[in-house]
C-alpha cells in the first residue's frame, strides 16, 4: 500500500502536482488517468524518487519516504519494479540479459540459477523464442512483455507502469493490461498504472485516480465511473463516441 | 556557461563514487575497449600512413637548396608526426569518431529512459556509463603510438616511392637530434586528450533533453566542444612543457 499526502511539485512557475492525496492499494491495479500533461509521469517519478517533490509525503507501507535514510531508500528501490513508457530496454543486451540484469546487479545467484529464474519469468509473460534477440529485433508488444518481465523478475512489492499499452493495438493492449493485473493478484503487488486509455480503465481499473491540471479531480472504481456526474471525468471519458454509446446503453439498462 | 562547467565537474566527481558491481563493470569496460579503441584502429592507421606520406613529400618538394641535407625529410616527418600530427590531429579525428559515438549512445539511452531505468535499479548511472569509457580511453596512448609509427612509416614509403631521398638518408633523419622528452610530451598530451575525449561527449549525451533529433544535435555540439577544448589544452601544455 502506498499513501500520498498533499504532494506538490512545480517546475519554475509551472505547478505540475497540486496537493495530491490518495491511496494505492495492495494487490490491486491502481490506475492514474488524465489528459496528456496532467502530471501522471511526474507523479510516478516522485514515487520512484527520480523527482523530489516540493512538499508532501509518500508512505510505502507506513514508511515515510522523506525520513528514509539512503540505505533504506536503496532497499526500497529493490522492491520496486518499473515499466517505462517506451519500455526502456537496454538495447545492447539480449532479451534474456535484460531480464537477468536486475539479478546480476542485486543478487549473488550464480549464472545458472539466474538464467533459470529469468526463463521462468519470460515464460510467465508468454514470450517465446525471443531469449537471444535484441530489443530492436522484436515487436513493440513483445518489448512491453520483456519490460514487464524485467520489472517483476525480483518479485517486487510495488510495480509502476507508465502507459504500458501506449502504441499497441487494442487487442495486444488488453493482453498486456490483463498480464499486469494477473501478476498483481498473483504476487499481491501494489501496482500503479498511468493511462489515458479508456479500455484499460474499464478492463483493470480497480481503483482510479483522475488527475486534472495536477489536481486530484476524482477517485473511484471502474463501476463508479459511469455513475459519476463530475463534469471533468465525464468530459474525459466520453470524449469518444464509442463510450458515449456505451454509457447510453448502461443507463438504459 | 558557468552552470555547464559546474555541472561537468559534478559529473566527473560522480564517475568515481558508488561504483557498479565489479563483474558487470568488467564487461562494460571490455565492450568499450572494443567499441572505442579497437574500432578506431583502422581509420587511425589509414590516415596516419597517408598523412605521414604527404608530410614527407611536401618537405622534400620544398627543399631546393642543395646545401640542405637530404636527411631533413626524415627529420621533419618525425618531428611533425610525433609532436602534433599523431597526438593532436588524431585526437581531433577521434573527437569526431569516438566522441559522437559516445554522445549518441548515451543520449539515446537518455531519451529512451534507459538511464532512468538504471537509476530505478539503484545504479549510479554516471559511474555505469562514463567510468568504463574513461578506462577504455586510457588505452589511447597505444593508438597514438600506432599512429606515430605508421605516420613515419608512411613518410618513409612515400619518400622511397617518389624517389626524394634514399632510405638511408631518411632513416638517418629519423634518428637525428632525437629528444626522448618530445615523446614524453606527446604522451602527456595524449593522456589529457583521452580524458577530454571520454568525458565531454559523455556530458553532452548524459544531460541532453528532447528526442532523437536532439541526439544528433548534441553529437555535433559535443564534437565542437571536444575539439575546442583539445586545441586549447594543447596550446597550454605546449607552452608549459616545451617553451
Ligand atoms: N523535468 C521537467 N522539467 C520541467 N517540466 C517538466 C519536467 N517533467 C515534466 N514537466 C512538465 O510537467 C507537466 C506534466 O508532465 P507529465 O509528463 O507528468 O504529463 P503526463 O500526464 O505524463 O502526460 P502524458 O500522458 O503525455 O505522458 C508538463 O507540463 C511538463 O512540461
Ligand atoms: Mg507521461
Amino acid at each position: 500500500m502506498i499513501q500520498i499526502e498533499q504532494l506538490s511539485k512545480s517546475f519554475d512557475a509551472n505547478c505540475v502536482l497540486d496537493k495530491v492525496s490518495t491511496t494505492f492499494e495492495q494487490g490491486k491495479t491502481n490506475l492514474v488517468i488524465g489528459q496528456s500533461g496532467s502530471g501522471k509521469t511526474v507523479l510516478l517519478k516522485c514515487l520512484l524518487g527520480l523527482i523530489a517533490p516540493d512538499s508532501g509525503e509518500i508512505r510505502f507501507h507506513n514508511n515515510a519516504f522523506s525520513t528514509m535514510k539512503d540505505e533504506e531508500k536503496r532497499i526500497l528501490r529493490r522492491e520496486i519494479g518499473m515499466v517505462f513508457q517506451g519500455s526502456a530496454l537496454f538495447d545492447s543486451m539480449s532479451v534474456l540479459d535484460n531480464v537477468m540484469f536486475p539479478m546480476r546487479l542485486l543478487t549473488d545467484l550464480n549464472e545458472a540459477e539466474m538464467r533459470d529464474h529469468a526463463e521462468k519469468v519470460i515464460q510467465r509473460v508468454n514470450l517465446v523464442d525471443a531469449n537471444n534477440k535484441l530489443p530492436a529485433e522484436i515487436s513493440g508488444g513483445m518489448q512491453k512483455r520483456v519490460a514487464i518481465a524485467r520489472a517483476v523478475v525480483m518479485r517486487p512489492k510495488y510495480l509502476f507502469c507508465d502507459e504500458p499499452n501506449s502504441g499497441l493495438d487494442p487487442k495486444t493492449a488488453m493482453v498486456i493490461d490483463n498480464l499486469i493485473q494477473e501478476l498483481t493478484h498473483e504476487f499481491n503487488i501494489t501496482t500503479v498504472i498511468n493511462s489515458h486509455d479508456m479500455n484499460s480503465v474499464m478492463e483493470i481499473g480497480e481503483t482510479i485516480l483522475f488527475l486534472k491540471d495536477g489536481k486530484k479531480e476524482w477517485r473511484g472504481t471502474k463501476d463508479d465511473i459511469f455513475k459519476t456526474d463530475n463534469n471533468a471525468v465525464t468530459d474525459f471519458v466520453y470524449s469518444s463516441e464509442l463510450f458515449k454509446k456505451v454509457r447510453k446503453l448502461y443507463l438504459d439498462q | 556557461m558557468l552552470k555547464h562547467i559546474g555541472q561537468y565537474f559534478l559529473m566527473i566527481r560522480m564517475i568515481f563514487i558508488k561504483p557498479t558491481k565489479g563483474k558487470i563493470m568488467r564487461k562494460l569496460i571490455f565492450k568499450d575497449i572494443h567499441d572505442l579503441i579497437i574500432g578506431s584502429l583502422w581509420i587511425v592507421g589509414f590516415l596516419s600512413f597517408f598523412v605521414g606520406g604527404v608530410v614527407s613529400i611536401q618537405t622534400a618538394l620544398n627543399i631546393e637548396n642543395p646545401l640542405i641535407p637530404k636527411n631533413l625529410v626524415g627529420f621533419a616527418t618525425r618531428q611533425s608526426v610525433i609532436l602534433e600530427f599523431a597526438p593532436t590531429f588524431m585526437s581531433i579525428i577521434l573527437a569526431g569518431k569516438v566522441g559522437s559515438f559516445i554522445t549518441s549512445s548515451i543520449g539515446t539511452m537518455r531519451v529512451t529512459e534507459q538511464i532512468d531505468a538504471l537509476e530505478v535499479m539503484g545504479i549510479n548511472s554516471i559511474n555505469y556509463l562514463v567510468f568504463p569509457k574513461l578506462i577504455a580511453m586510457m588505452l589511447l596512448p597505444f593508438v597514438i603510438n600506432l599512429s606515430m609509427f605508421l605516420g613515419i612509416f608512411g613518410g618513409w614509403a612515400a619518400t622511397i616511392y617518389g624517389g626524394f631521398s634514399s632510405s638511408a638518408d631518411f632513416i638517418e633523419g629519423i634518428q637525428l637530434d632525437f629528444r626522448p622528452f618530445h615523446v614524453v610530451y606527446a604522451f602527456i598530451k595524449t593522456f589529457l586528450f583521452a580524458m577530454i575525449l571520454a568525458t565531454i561527449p559523455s556530458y553532452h549525451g548524459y544531460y541532453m533533453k528532447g528526442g532523437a533529433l536532439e541526439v544528433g544535435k548534441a553529437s555535433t555540439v559535443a564534437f565542437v566542444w571536444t575539439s575546442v577544448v583539445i586545441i586549447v589544452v594543447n596550446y597550454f601544455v605546449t607552452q608549459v612543457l616545451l617553451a
Side-chain angles (χ1 to χ4, degrees):
Chain A
M1 187 177 66
I2 302 172
Q3 285 155 299
I4 294 177
E5 290 155 17
Q6 302 284 316
L7 199 72
S8 296
K9 175 73 193 176
S10 302
F11 292 104
D12 302 322
N14 178 11
C15 181
V16 178
L17 292 177
D18 190 4
K19 298 201 175 119
V20 177
S21 299
T22 191
T23 303
F24 298 123
E25 293 170 28
Q26 184 168 7
K28 289 191 179 170
T29 42
N30 302 279
L31 262 62
V32 180
I33 61 172
Q35 278 182 9
S36 197
S38 56
K40 303 183 296 292
T41 298
V42 172
L43 179 68
L44 262 197
K45 290 196 170 167
C46 286
L47 293 182
L48 288 164
L50 290 177
I51 292 180
D54 298 332
S55 63
E57 187 58 272
I58 302 166
R59 288 175 205 284
F60 291 86
H61 281 98
N62 293 324
N63 290 326
F65 192 76
S66 66
T67 60
M68 278 186 203
K69 299 193 187 68
D70 281 352
E71 179 63 18
E72 288 171 301
K73 281 185 188 162
R74 214 166 54 88
I75 293 169
L76 173 68
R77 283 226 168 124
R78 295 186 180 192
E79 299 179 329
I80 296 177
M82 172 77 195
V83 178
F84 285 89
Q85 198 159 345
S87 294
L89 299 176
F90 301 120
D91 42 30
S92 58
M93 295 181 201
S94 70
V95 165
L96 187 65
D97 281 328
N98 262 285
V99 178
M100 282 166 76
F101 188 74
M103 288 189 278
R104 288 222 161 93
L105 200 71
L106 302 170
T107 71
D108 293 317
L109 298 176
N110 67 35
E111 196 69 16
E113 289 167 329
M114 284 194 278
R115 174 179 294 262
D116 204 48
H117 184 57
E119 278 171 351
K120 278 193 194 120
V121 177
I122 291 172
Q123 257 173 27
R124 179 67 193 80
V125 298
N126 305 320
L127 263 178
V128 278
D129 290 338
N131 282 4
N132 296 317
K133 294 204 171 111
L134 290 173
E137 298 167 344
I138 59 179
S139 71
M142 287 164 92
Q143 288 176 5
K144 280 283 151 58
R145 288 173 204 263
V146 180
I148 293 170
R150 186 178 69 181
V152 301
V153 75
M154 296 288 290
R155 288 283 161 81
K157 273 193 195 157
Y158 311 96
L159 178 61
F160 302 148
C161 309
D162 198 356
E163 301 188 23
N165 50 23
S166 65
L168 300 179
D169 64 272
K171 182 120 190 283
T172 312
M174 211 174 82
V175 173
I176 295 290
D177 280 343
N178 288 330
L179 174 65
I180 294 171
Q181 189 173 39
E182 282 163 30
L183 293 167
T184 301
H185 293 166
E186 198 172 318
F187 302 125
N188 200 24
I189 306 174
T190 305
T191 300
V192 181
I193 303 167
N194 279 354
S195 181
H196 38 48
D197 176 15
M198 278 313 294
N199 288 318
S200 303
V201 173
M202 298 319 294
E203 196 67 30
I204 57 168
E206 293 180 84
T207 82
I208 299 163
L209 170 70
F210 182 78
L211 287 182
K212 183 165 189 262
D213 303 329
K215 290 195 184 65
K216 169 176 157 184
E217 180 72 32
W218 183 84
R219 186 173 185 275
T221 67
K222 64 181 178 189
D223 298 318
D224 302 334
I225 209 162
F226 276 133
K227 297 175 200 146
T228 178
D229 41 20
N230 181 314
N231 278 330
V233 177
T234 48
D235 255 17
F236 180 79
V237 174
Y238 304 115
S239 53
S240 114
E241 282 304 318
L242 178 63
F243 279 97
K244 278 183 195 149
K245 291 203 178 97
V246 173
R247 183 187 205 205
K248 193 162 172 298
L249 287 173
Y250 182 86
L251 293 178
D252 288 349
Q253 255 179 20
Chain B
M1 182 70 201
L2 270 177
K3 188 182 141 248
H4 281 291
I5 294 174
Q7 201 173 26
Y8 172 76
F9 282 105
L10 275 178
M11 181 194 87
I12 301 285
R13 205 175 79 85
M14 286 296 289
I15 296 175
F16 300 101
I17 59 180
K18 256 188 84 199
T20 308
K21 214 171 162 179
K23 227 165 119 190
I24 295 178
M25 186 50 80
R26 247 197 324 275
K27 258 199 197 149
L28 293 172
I29 291 174
F30 282 123
K31 185 172 182 303
D32 280 333
I33 289 176
H34 181 267
D35 290 345
L36 306 179
I37 298 292
I38 313 274
S40 305
L41 289 179
W42 78 266
I43 179 82
V44 168
F46 181 83
L47 293 176
S48 302
F49 183 81
F50 282 97
V51 176
V54 169
V55 169
S56 70
I57 293 174
Q58 302 235 354
T59 318
L61 293 180
N62 281 307
I63 309 173
E64 277 166 4
N65 189 335
L67 289 177
I68 299 179
K70 280 288 176 203
N71 62 19
L72 182 73
V73 180
F75 176 76
T77 304
R78 183 200 78 202
Q79 285 302 80
S80 48
V81 165
I82 287 185
L83 291 178
E84 286 311 322
F85 169 71
T88 313
F89 188 68
M90 275 305 136
S91 293
I92 302 281
I93 299 281
L94 291 179
K97 185 179 185 299
V98 170
S100 62
F101 175 80
I102 291 177
T103 308
S104 57
S105 63
I106 296 183
T108 304
M109 291 186 72
R110 166 63 74 197
V111 302
T112 56
E113 295 179 306
Q114 291 177 52
I115 292 183
D116 286 329
L118 290 170
E119 289 286 332
V120 168
M121 293 175 198
I123 297 178
N124 170 3
S125 56
I126 294 182
N127 169 267
Y128 181 91
L129 295 170
V130 187
F131 185 76
K133 298 189 170 51
L134 193 60
I135 297 300
M137 287 312 283
M138 290 297 113
L139 296 180
L140 185 66
F142 292 101
V143 179
I144 299 305
N145 209 343
L146 175 84
S147 166
M148 289 174 178
F149 175 77
L150 284 176
I152 294 172
F153 180 63
W156 175 82
T159 307
I160 306 302
Y161 182 73
F164 300 113
S165 84
S166 71
S167 175
D169 278 343
F170 189 90
I171 290 169
E172 192 191 307
I174 293 176
Q175 292 164 340
L176 189 71
D177 190 23
F178 178 73
R179 296 194 205 150
F181 184 69
H182 283 174
V183 177
V184 174
Y185 154 82
F187 280 112
I188 290 175
K189 291 208 295 197
T190 302
F191 182 73
L192 294 173
F193 296 161
M195 291 200 280
I196 294 167
L197 280 171
T199 54
I200 293 186
S202 296
Y203 174 84
H204 284 278
Y206 192 85
Y207 289 104
M208 66 157 295
K209 294 198 172 75
L213 189 65
E214 280 79 8
V215 174
K217 281 188 198 149
S219 303
T220 315
V221 175
F223 169 69
V224 170
W225 277 109
T226 309
S227 37
V228 165
V229 173
I230 285 177
I231 292 296
V232 171
V233 167
N234 184 42
Y235 170 79
F236 284 108
V237 171
T238 308
Q239 175 70 34
V240 169
L241 293 181
L242 291 191

